[in-house]
Structure formats: structure tokens, C-alpha cells
Amino acid sequence: MASLVGQLPFALENANGYKVWEDPSFIKWRKRDPHVTLRCHDSVEVDISVSNSAVWDDDAVHEALTSAAFWTNGLPFVKSLSGHWKFFLASSPPDVPLNFHKSSFQDSKWEAIPVPSNWQMHGFDRPIYTNVVYPFPLDPPNVPAENPTGCYRTYFHIPKEWQGRRILLHFEAVDSAFCAWINGVPVGYSQDSRLPAEFEISDYCYPHGSDKKNVLAVQVFRWSDGSYLEDQDHWWLSGIHRDVLLLAKPQVFIADYFFKSNLAEDFSLADIQVNTCQL
């Protein structure tokens, strides 16, 4: 866990055996509150050629990337980060490469993996199927010390049209817990394998015109205390398995909204009340 020590404003692990991914009271940091799906209107390009690298004979990766492109098509302030990312799988958190999240880290010898995907479907680790039995010894909230940990890195530039706008980093879903950095700065932590996680990264990105690439690094833990709640009749697969987006918002924007309808007793008319939340 050397890559995390001293980098985050909380202790992910200490000499007393504390591990944040085994702490039920801590499930997020800097993560925006859940909200309705909101995009910034006005297109996005997704490189679907990475689907040709799939190690199984079906259309899963191609369809995943096509879906990512479909949902962001025609939106100038949405950028999909789907594609090949640099990837390294450590056998456990303490074995993560030192400072892999820093911009200066050399990842040229790392392998590449499509995002979104599960790393078990690309020759890393192994998939596990269970029905009613947990895939590890039952000792909540603790998980095995042998906890495969995926290290991801990718690069991006901020478009010219985004100048002066707030930048959000949006993960559609990651299994099961993860930390994220932008240019070596920690920007968030999240658990929950099937729900989005969103973080504001405006202050940590190199702006348009900079000769420096922005570096996004992500550390994904296969097991967390949340794995006890997510146990069910399914295949256990890990990684960044849904799209990752950059969103550019105005300085003040609608962050969430609520609709409430009132219908007359004789069904002759109805009114709709709309409440919005701004940031």
C-alpha cells in the first residue's frame, strides 16, 4: 500500500491492521451525492477498435463501447475515456507499484486493457461463480489479505471549448472499491459495484493549451466490506466495468431535480411541481 501512504487525507491502512476497504463506516470520500442522469448538451468519439483485442469470441467489448458512444453522442461537453488503458494487477494492496499514480511514473512496460471491461476476461486473475456460498472465508467486515488490486492509468486533454467550465470525473461503475488520482493528486474514493461515482476535478487538471497530458490513475480492490452485501447468485468479476466520462459543467449548473405530480380526483387535470438543486 506504499502508493497510498501519505497521499490521502485519511489512513487507508495502518500498523494496527486498519484497512479502509474493510471499514463499514467509510464508503466514500469527495464523491458527489447521487442524482438523476444529467448530461451537458451540444459529440464524442469512442475508439471501438479496442474490441478486436477481446480474448473471448463474442461481441461483448464492442457492444460495451458502442453503448458508451451512443449515450454520449451529440454532447460536446461530455468526453468518454473508453479505450485502451495501461494496466497492472497486483496480488494484494501492499504489492501495488510505488507511486504508480504519479504523472512521472513509467507505465510503458504495463499491458493494456479495454475500459470498460472486467480484468478476469482478459487473462488476469480468475472469475468466480458462487450461489449462496461466499467466495472467501466468512469474517465480516474483513476480506482476504490476498486481495487482487488493479492499477489503471490513462491520459487525456481538456478540449478548448471547455475553458472556464467545471470538470467532473464520472465512473458509471467499478467493482468493488477504488481510489482515483488526477496528475498525482487524490480526487476520490468509492465503494458500490453497480452505482456511479462522480468527483469534481476542476482544480487538478491541466487546462487547454498546456503541453502536459492529464494523467488519470485508478486503484481497484477486488474485495471490500461491500462484497458481503453484494453476494448473490452471480459471477464475481472485477474492474472498471462501465464507462468513464468527463463532464464539463457551467460554473453554476443544475445538479439534481425532482418532479412531483398532483392529479385531480376526477382526473380532469394535473399539475407538476419541479424542484431543482444548483451547484
Side-chain angles (χ1 to χ4, degrees):
M1 187 52 60
S3 67
L4 294 175
V5 175
Q7 300 297 324
L8 298 169
F10 53 85
L12 268 88
E13 188 174 24
N14 62 30
N16 297 323
Y18 173 82
K19 301 171 183 176
V20 71
W21 58 93
E22 295 179 342
D23 182 355
S25 69
F26 191 92
I27 59 174
K28 64 180 181 178
W29 173 68
R30 296 195 74 251
K31 181 178 177 179
R32 296 186 63 229
D33 291 338
H35 58 80
V36 296
T37 300
L38 292 169
R39 296 289 182 257
C40 300
H41 291 269
D42 222 304
S43 144
V44 66
E45 295 181 2
V46 178
D47 181 9
I48 64 174
S49 65
V50 297
S51 64
N52 297 326
S53 68
V55 297
W56 67 95
D57 188 18
D58 64 29
D59 298 326
V61 172
H62 180 275
E63 293 302 324
L65 297 180
T66 300
S67 176
F70 172 80
W71 288 110
T72 57
N73 185 39
L75 305 179
F77 298 114
V78 182
K79 181 180 178 64
S80 173
L81 297 183
S82 292
H84 271 142
W85 292 29
K86 289 293 187 176
F87 181 75
F88 177 88
L89 184 66
S91 60
S92 63
D95 298 320
V96 165
L98 181 65
N99 295 327
F100 90 91
H101 57 276
K102 290 191 174 181
S103 299
S104 59
F105 184 85
Q106 295 299 312
D107 59 18
S108 58
K109 294 184 179 180
W110 283 18
E111 298 191 54
I113 193 171
V115 171
S117 71
N118 300 109
W119 68 57
Q120 288 87 355
M121 305 308 295
H122 292 273
F124 301 95
D125 199 5
R126 62 189 179 94
I128 299 174
Y129 170 78
T130 59
N131 187 355
V132 297
V133 178
Y134 281 98
F136 44 73
L138 189 61
D139 183 27
N142 302 309
V143 296
E146 185 177 340
N147 186 2
T149 305
C151 304
Y152 295 79
R153 287 171 58 90
T154 193
Y155 305 85
F156 63 91
H157 288 287
I158 299 298
K160 178 180 179 180
E161 295 75 17
W162 292 16
Q163 185 172 352
R165 299 175 71 92
R166 296 168 65 177
I167 310 300
L168 306 181
L169 174 62
H170 181 97
F171 294 84
E172 292 285 354
V174 180
D175 194 325
S176 68
F178 72 97
C179 302
W181 295 259
I182 295 291
N183 300 322
V185 179
V187 296
Y189 173 82
S190 177
Q191 294 181 209
D192 199 321
S193 300
R194 299 297 183 270
L195 291 179
E198 191 172 271
F199 313 97
E200 181 161 5
I201 60 172
S202 306
D203 295 336
Y204 313 114
C205 294
Y206 299 124
H208 170 76
S210 172
D211 58 355
K212 297 180 180 180
K213 290 182 178 180
N214 290 289
V215 181
L216 168 58
V218 183
Q219 182 169 332
V220 181
F221 306 92
R222 178 168 194 177
W223 308 121
S224 70
D225 52 0
S227 300
Y228 284 97
L229 300 177
E230 297 174 335
D231 181 67
Q232 54 189 298
D233 179 8
H234 73 152
W235 283 96
W236 292 86
L237 300 168
S238 315
I240 306 173
H241 62 96
R242 293 180 184 163
D243 198 24
V244 182
L245 305 172
L246 293 176
L247 311 176
K249 299 284 189 178
Q251 289 298 317
V252 178
F253 63 93
I254 295 176
D256 206 353
Y257 60 82
F258 303 87
F259 282 70
K260 181 180 180 180
S261 61
N262 296 296
L263 183 63
E265 291 186 5
D266 62 358
F267 308 112
S268 61
L269 58 89
D271 67 78
I272 296 178
Q273 298 176 352
V274 182
N275 295 322
T276 62
C277 300
Q278 292 184 334
L279 284 181

